[in-house]
Amino acid sequence: MTRVLLTGAAGFIGGHIRSALEPNHDVVAIDAMLASAHGHSLDSSSVDSSSDITRVDVRDHAALVELLASVDVVCHQAAVVGAGVDSADAPAYASHNDFGTAVLLAAMAETDCTRLVLASSMVVYGEGKYRNAAGDLVVPGPRTRLADGIFENTDPATGEVLDWALVEEDSELRPRSTYAASKVAQENYALAWSLATGGSVTALRYHNVYGPHMPRNTPYSGVAAMFRSSLEAGKAPQVYEDGHQARDFVHVSDIAAANTTAIDAALPGFTALNVSSGHPITIGEVASTLSDACRGPAPQITGQYRPGDVRHIVASPEKAERTLGFVAAVSPEQGLREFATAPLRDAEGTGAPRV
Protein backbone atom coordinates (compact mmCIF):
# COMPACT_ATOMS: atom_id res chain seq x y z
CA MET A 1 0.00 0.00 0.00
CA THR A 2 1.10 3.56 -0.73
CA ARG A 3 1.56 5.41 2.56
CA VAL A 4 0.10 8.92 2.36
CA LEU A 5 0.56 11.79 4.81
CA LEU A 6 -2.67 13.79 4.56
CA THR A 7 -2.55 17.29 6.08
CA GLY A 8 -5.77 19.12 6.87
CA ALA A 9 -7.44 15.73 7.29
CA ALA A 10 -10.22 17.03 9.57
CA GLY A 11 -11.34 19.68 7.09
CA PHE A 12 -14.21 19.60 4.63
CA ILE A 13 -12.08 18.61 1.66
CA GLY A 14 -9.52 16.65 3.67
CA GLY A 15 -12.20 14.46 5.19
CA HIS A 16 -13.56 13.49 1.78
CA ILE A 17 -10.06 12.79 0.47
CA ARG A 18 -9.33 10.59 3.45
CA SER A 19 -12.48 8.54 2.85
CA ALA A 20 -11.55 8.12 -0.81
CA LEU A 21 -7.97 7.09 -0.02
CA GLU A 22 -8.43 4.67 2.88
CA PRO A 23 -9.67 1.59 1.01
CA ASN A 24 -6.44 1.31 -1.00
CA HIS A 25 -3.89 3.51 0.79
CA ASP A 26 -2.31 3.67 4.23
CA VAL A 27 -3.28 7.17 5.42
CA VAL A 28 -1.47 9.13 8.13
CA ALA A 29 -4.01 11.85 8.97
CA ILE A 30 -2.98 15.12 10.63
CA ASP A 31 -4.65 18.47 11.28
CA ALA A 32 -3.79 21.53 13.37
CA MET A 33 -7.50 21.93 14.24
CA LEU A 34 -7.40 25.71 13.93
CA ALA A 35 -10.34 27.50 15.52
CA SER A 36 -10.60 29.61 12.37
CA ALA A 37 -11.92 26.54 10.55
CA HIS A 38 -13.23 24.26 13.27
CA GLY A 39 -14.34 26.55 16.12
CA HIS A 40 -13.49 26.17 19.79
CA SER A 41 -15.70 23.17 20.51
CA LEU A 42 -12.96 20.52 20.41
CA ASP A 43 -11.01 19.38 23.43
CA SER A 44 -7.59 21.00 23.48
CA SER A 45 -5.70 17.73 23.88
CA SER A 46 -7.26 15.65 21.12
CA VAL A 47 -9.37 15.86 18.02
CA ASP A 48 -11.76 12.93 18.24
CA SER A 49 -10.73 9.66 19.82
CA SER A 50 -12.50 7.75 17.05
CA SER A 51 -11.06 9.73 14.16
CA ASP A 52 -7.38 8.70 14.33
CA ILE A 53 -6.38 12.24 13.34
CA THR A 54 -3.24 13.48 15.04
CA ARG A 55 -3.09 17.14 15.99
CA VAL A 56 0.00 18.45 14.19
CA ASP A 57 0.79 21.92 12.89
CA VAL A 58 2.62 21.79 9.54
CA ARG A 59 4.98 24.45 10.89
CA ASP A 60 6.31 21.87 13.40
CA HIS A 61 9.42 20.58 11.63
CA ALA A 62 10.34 17.95 14.22
CA ALA A 63 6.86 16.42 14.24
CA LEU A 64 6.81 16.27 10.44
CA VAL A 65 10.22 14.60 10.21
CA GLU A 66 9.02 11.87 12.57
CA LEU A 67 5.80 11.32 10.61
CA LEU A 68 7.47 11.38 7.19
CA ALA A 69 9.97 8.63 7.96
CA SER A 70 7.92 5.97 6.19
CA VAL A 71 5.67 8.11 3.93
CA ASP A 72 5.62 7.71 0.14
CA VAL A 73 3.62 10.80 -0.82
CA VAL A 74 2.23 13.89 0.91
CA CYS A 75 -1.27 15.16 0.12
CA HIS A 76 -1.14 18.72 1.44
CA GLN A 77 -4.60 20.17 2.10
CA ALA A 78 -3.90 22.18 5.27
CA ALA A 79 -4.32 25.93 4.81
CA VAL A 80 -5.91 29.04 6.20
CA VAL A 81 -8.60 29.87 3.66
CA GLY A 82 -10.87 32.77 2.74
CA ALA A 83 -10.43 36.08 0.99
CA GLY A 84 -8.31 37.79 3.63
CA VAL A 85 -10.40 40.95 3.77
CA ASP A 86 -8.47 42.44 6.68
CA SER A 87 -4.86 43.47 6.15
CA ALA A 88 -4.18 42.14 9.64
CA ASP A 89 -4.85 38.64 8.23
CA ALA A 90 -1.74 38.70 6.02
CA PRO A 91 0.65 37.25 8.66
CA ALA A 92 -1.70 34.30 9.22
CA TYR A 93 -1.76 33.40 5.52
CA ALA A 94 1.99 33.82 5.21
CA SER A 95 2.67 31.79 8.35
CA HIS A 96 0.27 28.87 7.97
CA ASN A 97 0.14 28.57 4.19
CA ASP A 98 3.55 29.69 2.98
CA PHE A 99 5.91 29.14 5.92
CA GLY A 100 4.01 25.94 6.75
CA THR A 101 4.49 24.65 3.21
CA ALA A 102 8.17 25.61 3.31
CA VAL A 103 8.63 23.68 6.57
CA LEU A 104 6.83 20.68 5.10
CA LEU A 105 9.00 20.73 1.97
CA ALA A 106 12.18 20.98 4.05
CA ALA A 107 11.06 18.01 6.14
CA MET A 108 10.27 16.05 2.98
CA ALA A 109 13.77 16.76 1.63
CA GLU A 110 15.30 15.68 4.93
CA THR A 111 13.42 12.37 4.91
CA ASP A 112 13.73 11.68 1.16
CA CYS A 113 9.98 11.89 0.57
CA THR A 114 9.88 13.01 -3.05
CA ARG A 115 6.18 13.22 -4.00
CA LEU A 116 3.70 15.99 -3.22
CA VAL A 117 0.09 16.56 -4.21
CA LEU A 118 -0.71 20.17 -3.33
CA ALA A 119 -4.11 21.79 -2.86
CA SER A 120 -4.04 24.99 -4.88
CA SER A 121 -6.93 27.15 -6.05
CA MET A 122 -8.41 28.97 -9.01
CA VAL A 123 -7.87 32.20 -7.04
CA VAL A 124 -4.29 32.21 -8.36
CA TYR A 125 -5.68 33.38 -11.72
CA GLY A 126 -7.20 36.54 -10.26
CA GLU A 127 -9.63 38.22 -12.63
CA GLY A 128 -9.84 35.32 -15.06
CA LYS A 129 -9.49 35.40 -18.85
CA TYR A 130 -11.27 37.66 -21.33
CA ARG A 131 -11.48 38.28 -25.07
CA ASN A 132 -12.85 41.12 -27.16
CA ALA A 133 -15.21 40.72 -30.12
CA ALA A 134 -12.24 40.11 -32.44
CA GLY A 135 -11.12 37.18 -30.29
CA ASP A 136 -8.04 38.95 -28.90
CA LEU A 137 -7.08 38.39 -25.26
CA VAL A 138 -7.53 41.57 -23.21
CA VAL A 139 -6.62 42.29 -19.59
CA PRO A 140 -9.70 44.12 -18.29
CA GLY A 141 -9.55 47.38 -16.44
CA PRO A 142 -10.98 47.83 -12.94
CA ARG A 143 -14.75 47.70 -12.62
CA THR A 144 -15.38 51.30 -11.61
CA ARG A 145 -19.14 51.56 -12.24
CA LEU A 146 -20.48 48.84 -9.96
CA ALA A 147 -22.63 51.36 -8.11
CA ASP A 148 -24.33 52.17 -11.41
CA GLY A 149 -25.13 48.52 -12.08
CA ILE A 150 -22.39 48.18 -14.72
CA PHE A 151 -20.92 44.81 -13.79
CA GLU A 152 -19.21 43.42 -16.89
CA ASN A 153 -15.49 43.76 -17.52
CA THR A 154 -14.47 46.13 -20.29
CA ASP A 155 -11.48 46.82 -22.47
CA PRO A 156 -9.61 49.73 -20.76
CA ALA A 157 -8.62 51.11 -24.18
CA THR A 158 -11.96 50.99 -25.97
CA GLY A 159 -14.64 50.48 -23.33
CA GLU A 160 -15.86 47.37 -25.19
CA VAL A 161 -17.58 44.76 -23.04
CA LEU A 162 -15.44 41.63 -22.89
CA ASP A 163 -16.47 37.98 -23.09
CA TRP A 164 -15.06 35.50 -20.62
CA ALA A 165 -12.86 32.67 -21.88
CA LEU A 166 -11.77 29.38 -20.34
CA VAL A 167 -8.78 29.78 -18.03
CA GLU A 168 -5.98 27.36 -18.85
CA GLU A 169 -3.09 26.38 -16.60
CA ASP A 170 -0.56 28.52 -18.47
CA SER A 171 -2.62 31.68 -17.89
CA GLU A 172 -0.85 34.44 -16.02
CA LEU A 173 -1.19 34.30 -12.23
CA ARG A 174 -2.64 37.55 -10.89
CA PRO A 175 -3.63 37.08 -7.22
CA ARG A 176 -6.18 39.63 -5.95
CA SER A 177 -6.33 38.72 -2.26
CA THR A 178 -4.01 37.77 0.57
CA TYR A 179 -5.26 34.19 0.35
CA ALA A 180 -4.64 34.10 -3.40
CA ALA A 181 -1.12 35.48 -2.92
CA SER A 182 -0.42 32.72 -0.39
CA LYS A 183 -1.57 30.02 -2.82
CA VAL A 184 0.72 31.39 -5.55
CA ALA A 185 3.57 31.37 -3.04
CA GLN A 186 2.82 27.76 -2.09
CA GLU A 187 3.06 26.75 -5.74
CA ASN A 188 6.32 28.66 -6.16
CA TYR A 189 7.91 27.05 -3.09
CA ALA A 190 6.80 23.64 -4.35
CA LEU A 191 8.20 24.31 -7.83
CA ALA A 192 11.55 25.43 -6.39
CA TRP A 193 11.65 22.33 -4.15
CA SER A 194 10.91 20.11 -7.14
CA LEU A 195 13.74 21.63 -9.16
CA ALA A 196 16.19 21.42 -6.27
CA THR A 197 15.41 17.87 -5.16
CA GLY A 198 14.08 16.17 -8.28
CA GLY A 199 10.82 15.61 -6.46
CA SER A 200 7.43 15.66 -8.12
CA VAL A 201 4.57 18.08 -7.44
CA THR A 202 1.01 17.98 -8.75
CA ALA A 203 -0.71 21.26 -7.85
CA LEU A 204 -4.48 20.87 -8.11
CA ARG A 205 -6.20 24.21 -8.66
CA TYR A 206 -9.66 23.70 -7.21
CA HIS A 207 -12.56 25.74 -8.51
CA ASN A 208 -15.72 26.40 -6.44
CA VAL A 209 -15.99 23.35 -4.19
CA TYR A 210 -19.26 22.30 -2.56
CA GLY A 211 -20.85 19.14 -1.19
CA PRO A 212 -21.96 17.22 1.90
CA HIS A 213 -20.48 18.23 5.26
CA MET A 214 -19.44 21.64 3.99
CA PRO A 215 -19.17 23.98 7.00
CA ARG A 216 -21.88 26.60 7.32
CA ASN A 217 -20.03 29.42 9.03
CA THR A 218 -16.31 29.28 8.36
CA PRO A 219 -14.09 30.64 5.59
CA TYR A 220 -14.91 27.43 3.69
CA SER A 221 -18.53 28.54 3.47
CA GLY A 222 -18.89 29.64 -0.12
CA VAL A 223 -21.92 31.08 -1.82
CA ALA A 224 -23.65 27.70 -2.20
CA ALA A 225 -23.61 27.18 1.59
CA MET A 226 -24.81 30.76 2.11
CA PHE A 227 -27.76 30.17 -0.21
CA ARG A 228 -28.49 26.92 1.64
CA SER A 229 -28.56 28.73 4.98
CA SER A 230 -31.00 31.33 3.65
CA LEU A 231 -33.34 28.67 2.29
CA GLU A 232 -33.27 26.69 5.54
CA ALA A 233 -34.36 29.87 7.31
CA GLY A 234 -37.21 30.29 4.82
CA LYS A 235 -35.55 33.29 3.20
CA ALA A 236 -34.80 33.99 -0.45
CA PRO A 237 -31.14 33.59 -1.46
CA GLN A 238 -29.57 37.01 -1.96
CA VAL A 239 -27.75 37.10 -5.30
CA TYR A 240 -25.22 39.90 -5.78
CA GLU A 241 -24.72 41.91 -8.95
CA ASP A 242 -27.08 40.65 -11.69
CA GLY A 243 -26.56 36.94 -11.07
CA HIS A 244 -24.81 36.40 -14.41
CA GLN A 245 -21.35 35.86 -12.91
CA ALA A 246 -19.98 32.66 -14.47
CA ARG A 247 -18.20 30.08 -12.34
CA ASP A 248 -17.34 26.39 -12.26
CA PHE A 249 -18.78 24.50 -9.29
CA VAL A 250 -17.04 21.18 -8.64
CA HIS A 251 -18.38 18.56 -6.25
CA VAL A 252 -16.16 17.58 -3.34
CA SER A 253 -16.32 13.92 -4.38
CA ASP A 254 -14.65 14.92 -7.64
CA ILE A 255 -12.01 16.85 -5.71
CA ALA A 256 -11.31 13.69 -3.72
CA ALA A 257 -11.16 11.63 -6.91
CA ALA A 258 -8.69 14.07 -8.48
CA ASN A 259 -6.41 13.76 -5.45
CA THR A 260 -6.46 9.97 -5.39
CA THR A 261 -5.81 9.90 -9.14
CA ALA A 262 -2.89 12.34 -8.78
CA ILE A 263 -1.42 10.29 -5.94
CA ASP A 264 -1.58 7.09 -7.96
CA ALA A 265 -0.36 8.70 -11.21
CA ALA A 266 2.88 10.09 -9.73
CA LEU A 267 3.44 12.62 -12.50
CA PRO A 268 7.06 13.76 -12.86
CA GLY A 269 8.29 17.30 -12.20
CA PHE A 270 5.87 20.14 -11.43
CA THR A 271 2.39 19.97 -12.95
CA ALA A 272 -0.47 22.41 -12.27
CA LEU A 273 -3.98 21.24 -13.14
CA ASN A 274 -7.43 22.79 -12.98
CA VAL A 275 -9.92 20.65 -11.09
CA SER A 276 -13.34 21.65 -12.30
CA SER A 277 -16.66 20.21 -13.44
CA GLY A 278 -16.25 21.41 -17.01
CA HIS A 279 -19.82 22.78 -16.92
CA PRO A 280 -19.99 26.58 -16.42
CA ILE A 281 -22.89 27.87 -14.36
CA THR A 282 -23.93 31.35 -13.25
CA ILE A 283 -24.38 32.36 -9.62
CA GLY A 284 -28.02 33.07 -10.39
CA GLU A 285 -28.44 29.53 -11.72
CA VAL A 286 -26.84 28.13 -8.57
CA ALA A 287 -29.37 30.01 -6.43
CA SER A 288 -32.31 28.97 -8.62
CA THR A 289 -31.26 25.31 -8.63
CA LEU A 290 -31.06 25.25 -4.83
CA SER A 291 -34.34 27.15 -4.43
CA ASP A 292 -36.14 24.74 -6.76
CA ALA A 293 -34.68 21.68 -5.06
CA CYS A 294 -35.68 23.02 -1.63
CA ARG A 295 -39.05 24.27 -2.91
CA GLY A 296 -38.07 27.52 -1.27
CA PRO A 297 -38.40 31.21 -2.11
CA ALA A 298 -37.08 32.32 -5.48
CA PRO A 299 -33.69 34.08 -5.38
CA GLN A 300 -33.58 37.86 -5.16
CA ILE A 301 -31.21 39.67 -7.51
CA THR A 302 -30.03 42.48 -5.24
CA GLY A 303 -27.64 44.48 -7.40
CA GLN A 304 -25.36 44.65 -4.36
CA TYR A 305 -21.69 44.03 -4.92
CA ARG A 306 -18.34 43.50 -3.26
CA PRO A 307 -15.62 45.65 -4.84
CA GLY A 308 -13.03 42.88 -4.80
CA ASP A 309 -15.19 40.22 -6.43
CA VAL A 310 -14.18 38.68 -9.75
CA ARG A 311 -16.81 38.94 -12.48
CA HIS A 312 -16.23 35.64 -14.32
CA ILE A 313 -13.78 32.79 -13.88
CA VAL A 314 -14.29 29.43 -15.57
CA ALA A 315 -11.68 26.71 -15.99
CA SER A 316 -10.66 24.54 -18.87
CA PRO A 317 -10.70 20.88 -17.70
CA GLU A 318 -8.77 19.60 -20.73
CA LYS A 319 -5.28 19.32 -19.26
CA ALA A 320 -6.49 17.32 -16.24
CA GLU A 321 -8.25 14.90 -18.59
CA ARG A 322 -5.28 14.68 -20.93
CA THR A 323 -2.67 14.33 -18.18
CA LEU A 324 -4.46 12.38 -15.46
CA GLY A 325 -7.46 10.97 -17.25
CA PHE A 326 -9.56 12.87 -14.70
CA VAL A 327 -13.10 13.86 -15.70
CA ALA A 328 -15.57 15.12 -13.09
CA ALA A 329 -18.42 12.68 -12.53
CA VAL A 330 -20.93 15.09 -10.96
CA SER A 331 -22.53 17.89 -12.98
CA PRO A 332 -23.40 21.12 -11.12
CA GLU A 333 -27.11 20.61 -11.80
CA GLN A 334 -27.09 17.12 -10.28
CA GLY A 335 -24.71 17.96 -7.46
CA LEU A 336 -26.42 21.18 -6.41
CA ARG A 337 -29.84 19.51 -6.30
CA GLU A 338 -28.38 16.89 -3.97
CA PHE A 339 -26.55 19.56 -1.99
CA ALA A 340 -29.87 21.31 -1.31
CA THR A 341 -30.67 18.71 1.35
CA ALA A 342 -27.19 17.35 2.14
CA PRO A 343 -25.91 17.46 5.74
CA LEU A 344 -23.68 20.42 6.62
CA ARG A 345 -21.20 20.87 9.45
CA ASP A 346 -22.09 23.35 12.16
CA ALA A 347 -18.53 24.49 12.95
CA GLU A 348 -18.33 28.16 13.82
CA GLY A 349 -15.17 29.72 12.45
CA THR A 350 -13.45 32.54 14.29
CA GLY A 351 -11.73 34.45 11.49
CA ALA A 352 -8.09 34.20 10.49
CA PRO A 353 -5.79 33.00 13.29
CA ARG A 354 -3.40 35.49 14.84
CA VAL A 355 -0.75 32.89 15.70
Side-chain angles (χ1 to χ4, degrees):
M1 272 192 174
T2 301
R3 189 169 176 83
V4 181
L5 177 64
L6 174 62
T7 74
F12 163 49
I13 293 174
H16 283 272
I17 293 172
R18 187 184 182 198
S19 296
L21 284 172
E22 283 186 332
N24 300 302
H25 303 77
D26 182 11
V27 180
V28 179
I30 67 172
D31 199 297
M33 299 307 300
L34 296 176
S36 60
H38 301 283
H40 290 298
S41 60
L42 293 164
D43 179 81
S44 61
S45 61
S46 66
V47 177
D48 177 347
S49 60
S50 66
S51 72
D52 296 325
I53 297 175
T54 304
R55 190 189 294 262
V56 174
D57 191 318
V58 293
R59 299 172 297 177
D60 185 340
H61 178 266
L64 291 177
V65 167
E66 184 176 351
L67 289 166
L68 284 164
S70 58
V71 163
D72 301 301
V73 56
V74 175
C75 184
H76 184 31
Q77 306 296 315
V80 174
V81 301
V85 296
D86 188 332
S87 58
D89 294 343
Y93 289 98
S95 178
H96 289 272
N97 297 0
D98 303 336
F99 178 65
T101 298
V103 172
L104 173 62
L105 292 169
M108 290 176 67
E110 185 173 332
T111 56
D112 295 320
C113 180
T114 60
R115 294 175 52 202
L116 174 69
V117 175
L118 173 67
S120 189
S121 171
M122 56 90 171
V123 297
V124 300
Y125 298 119
E127 192 67 52
K129 189 173 181 180
Y130 298 85
R131 296 185 185 275
N132 60 21
D136 301 320
L137 288 175
V138 177
V139 177
R143 296 195 293 161
T144 59
R145 300 189 61 192
L146 295 171
D148 299 325
I150 307 299
F151 301 122
E152 293 292 352
N153 281 308
T154 57
D155 185 328
T158 66
E160 175 189 353
V161 172
L162 301 173
D163 294 324
W164 61 263
L166 293 176
V167 177
E168 298 170 323
E169 288 83 353
D170 60 358
S171 297
E172 186 173 355
L173 306 186
R174 295 173 177 268
R176 289 167 52 91
S177 69
T178 305
Y179 171 58
S182 76
K183 299 309 285 185
V184 172
Q186 281 186 306
E187 287 197 18
N188 286 337
Y189 275 111
L191 171 60
W193 171 85
S194 175
L195 294 171
T197 65
S200 69
V201 178
T202 304
L204 301 177
R205 293 173 178 167
Y206 305 157
H207 285 252
N208 296 70
V209 187
Y210 70 98
H213 307 296
M214 190 175 189
R216 299 175 190 273
N217 299 307
T218 77
Y220 290 103
S221 302
V223 68
M226 293 168 61
F227 290 161
R228 263 285 307 267
S229 296
S230 295
L231 289 163
E232 287 178 348
K235 300 177 180 178
Q238 303 296 293
V239 179
Y240 278 24
E241 300 188 15
D242 56 6
H244 294 160
Q245 308 95 301
R247 295 289 189 273
D248 189 301
F249 277 73
V250 57
H251 196 271
V252 69
S253 63
D254 284 321
I255 295 289
N259 276 272
T260 58
T261 302
I263 287 168
D264 293 339
L267 299 175
F270 180 93
T271 306
L273 298 171
N274 289 324
V275 182
S276 60
S277 74
H279 297 277
I281 189 171
T282 68
I283 298 298
E285 289 171 334
V286 171
S288 295
T289 300
L290 291 171
S291 292
D292 291 345
C294 291
R295 298 182 180 178
Q300 291 182 351
I301 308 299
T302 67
Q304 293 177 272
Y305 60 91
R306 286 178 286 261
D309 279 359
V310 173
R311 179 58 176 173
H312 306 292
I313 182 163
V314 179
S316 168
E318 290 184 3
K319 186 178 178 182
E321 180 176 2
R322 185 174 67 251
T323 306
L324 282 183
F326 169 77
V327 177
V330 183
S331 70
E333 182 178 3
Q334 171 196 349
L336 287 166
R337 293 192 70 83
E338 294 173 356
F339 179 68
T341 54
L344 299 182
R345 293 169 60 183
D346 289 323
E348 292 281 346
T350 61
R354 292 291 181 253
V355 178

